[in-house]
Amino acid sequence: SIHSFPTRRSSDLEANHTIGFTRASATPEAHTQTLNASKGISVTAWRILVDEAFAKSVKDEFERTRVVN
């Protein structure tokens, strides 16, 4: 999966759904990183829709690495 985190400084990384994450998310840098991540997600989704071989490789990788409880 693809995730966007609001900061690049490892000392500032916070888990999702925490007060620290909320604070880190309220910055121009976080906004830019979120937009960049969303563009990456969009391009990946588009490629899955138009490239059958790529879609198969994504599905195969997902099946290979997913954890089943």
Side-chain angles (χ1 to χ4, degrees):
S1 69
I2 302 171
H3 297 282
S4 171
F5 290 96
T7 181
R8 292 185 189 173
R9 297 180 302 271
S10 60
S11 62
D12 292 342
L13 288 177
E14 295 280 350
N16 283 339
H17 311 293
T18 64
I19 292 170
F21 184 88
T22 300
R23 286 187 196 116
S25 297
T27 65
E29 180 184 18
H31 182 73
T32 299
Q33 290 177 343
T34 300
L35 288 174
N36 288 338
S38 67
K39 290 173 187 176
I41 292 167
S42 298
V43 169
T44 301
W46 171 81
R47 187 164 175 206
I48 288 170
L49 293 172
V50 301
D51 183 337
E52 289 182 32
F54 181 73
K56 183 180 180 329
S57 72
V58 170
K59 182 178 178 182
D60 290 348
E61 180 69 8
F62 172 78
E63 293 297 334
R64 187 183 71 75
T65 61
R66 76 181 179 141
V67 176
V68 179
N69 291 326

